[in-house]
Amino acid sequence: MRPQATGIRKTGTFTGQHIEMSIDTNAMAHIMSVLTNLYSDPEMAVLREYSCNARDSHLAIGSTRPIEVTLPSPIEQYLVIEDFGLGLSLDDITAIYSRYGASTKRDTDEQTGMLGLGSKSALTYATQFTMTSVKNGVKVEVLISVKTNGAGVMEVMDTVATDQANGVRITIPTRPNNSFASKAEELFSLWPAGSVLVNGQAPKVPSGRFLSDARTTFLDDEDSSGARESVVVMGGVPYPLPYEYTRKISNTLNNRVVIYAPMGAVDFVPSREAMNMTPRTEKALEGFIADFEAQYLALVQAEFAACGTKAEAFAVATRVRGSSGIERKMGSFTYKGQDIPSRFGSDKNFWVHNKGTWSSRKNQRTSGFYARDLGKTPLMVTGYSGEGGPSAVMRAKVDKYCDDNGLSHSSYMIFITESILDGWVDIPTVDYATIKAIKVPRAAVASRAGTVVRQEDWDTIDANGRIEEQDGAKITKPVIYYSPVDIDDSRWNSVDRESVRKRMVNDFPTYTIIEAGKGRHARLLREFPTAKTYDVAIKELLDAQRANISDRTVALGTWNQRNSHPSHAWDKIAKGGTINDADLLAEVSDIATAEKTVADYVNACAVWRKCWKVGMNRNLDLTAPTTTLALNNYPLLWVHGIDRHPESVVQYINAAFAAANTKGTPA
């Protein structure tokens, strides 16, 4: 490729001495080492540089034969890149491979190279590699390696006559667990079809399309997530598009875009791992982005023009809206003079049943439905005017209708008075009267009172705190139930709701936890007469926990809290010497455990008070008899910092204990 002129003009009025800059001959080994190790990704550099050289050689002779790349395997741990182009004589090899900066490609824009560095790139990955070249009946094999001082050296291994065709084969030893396979897939997927074979096979190419007959801009339909970056490909080398230009593309389209630039259109850094953002490159990129937007706009307009029905136009609009912002530039999507809706609404609210939600509020009353969700809707039930959402029995009838008619029933169901689609969407529709007439089996169970009730599905909580629908006939554990509105949304978001529910399951492992709207509580109690509300269950849990805490434990735990002594203080005092007061010694040994027991109970009360709208305003009885504690006989233990001098504290305790036993009065 022809190097671009810098465009710099040197003018000035200084008339002093001019000194030409040069490279110190004593530093040549260092300079060669720096030029060899330009690359941040040595594996990709090796693949890119030698493959591009091979491709250039084919272009030079007009060959349409693909170059051949053989990836390393566990048995043959070599990367081999071979071309069948010009070939190199020994003089060519000496002129190109032994000199940094030497290149034969600076007089043409048909070939990729020009820097005279890529032919040495293997030395950034391996300490040596071999090159076998055939030109005009002479075969030359050369070993190229790097010395300990960083300089490269060539050794001619063999020169023989041959009848083989011209070409060059590069053989590079590789390391175990290398990434050449994935790097080759990434690189060669962007090359023209028929230009390379990898292990004898054509490389996989992304599914997509060129936006125009000029074949300059490729839309990668495989990746609409933005996980792979848009690139500019020049001479087979992909250059990542800088962020500010990627953002411009994403404003129009979320898919990856591949822009094929003419040779020499942009500048690049010496490693060829990125574009050099010169004014010339920036101007070229602005032109590429403008061309891309115009081509994509023309493509979308052509797709709308080819539609024969409103439903076809709506399908195109929905697909484009899902990954594109082009509608903002067009004003709106239209078909035969009508705006293509992005949302369908009704003067009357209707019901949507969403099976895909973790929430118990699967029936949602709404006045509008986004077009993007209609693709998930296998059925619309018209003629439904109920004020309440569809019951479990009605949903079962819809499921049976879907099964009988080969329809999916895994997602949205719409229950509405009359269709609001106006021909834009082709969704199967059935009248509510047809659904009502369907018969479905319903399981019956006997309550304790002997009356027969109908069993239905309930939203139970699994071990991870998530909602799962469960057949009531299969619920055998005692039931605790609550309404979704009982969880305090002012403190917990939707993710934290799972934490609240998970705690319920963990604290009540012998129960089934059911989340049900208040309107279903009466039916729930008919099916599960012994079911408890969550606040009753939590109160019983905390009462049982409190009943297991003795007055002595309360006194010890709260004594330490009131005095703000660290828990490790008592362990230090116990190890600070022999304590003669046996009662005090027992308290010192138990105080840390007592404090944890008290803290666990207080924290449990606080957690439940935080999670639920019905407050758990409970506290330990802090008036438990503290006078029975031996700790109260030693007032100096109330002083902060007793853990700093445990030996002195023990001396004080023993002196006070001896004085009390002698005089009958505490010290």
Side-chain angles (χ1 to χ4, degrees), residues 550-602:
S550 67
D551 287 346
R552 178 178 181 274
T553 299
V554 173
L556 280 174
T558 55
W559 191 95
N560 203 43
Q561 289 175 353
R562 286 196 303 270
N563 293 284
S564 302
H565 291 320
S567 298
H568 65 265
W570 304 106
D571 183 58
K572 285 187 175 183
I573 291 170
K575 295 177 180 178
T578 301
I579 296 176
N580 296 330
D581 187 341
D583 292 335
L584 179 64
L585 180 60
E587 292 173 0
V588 168
S589 300
D590 295 342
I591 196 167
T593 302
E595 183 179 19
K596 183 179 184 306
T597 300
V598 170
D600 287 346
Y601 176 80
V602 171

Side-chain angles (χ1 to χ4, degrees), residues 209-219 260 291-292 294-296 298-299 302:
R209 50 194 165 155
F210 283 94
L211 299 185
S212 69
D213 293 338
R215 301 178 70 81
T216 57
T217 307
F218 180 81
L219 173 60
Y260 287 88
D291 289 344
F292 152 71
Q295 291 173 23
Y296 185 64
L299 179 67

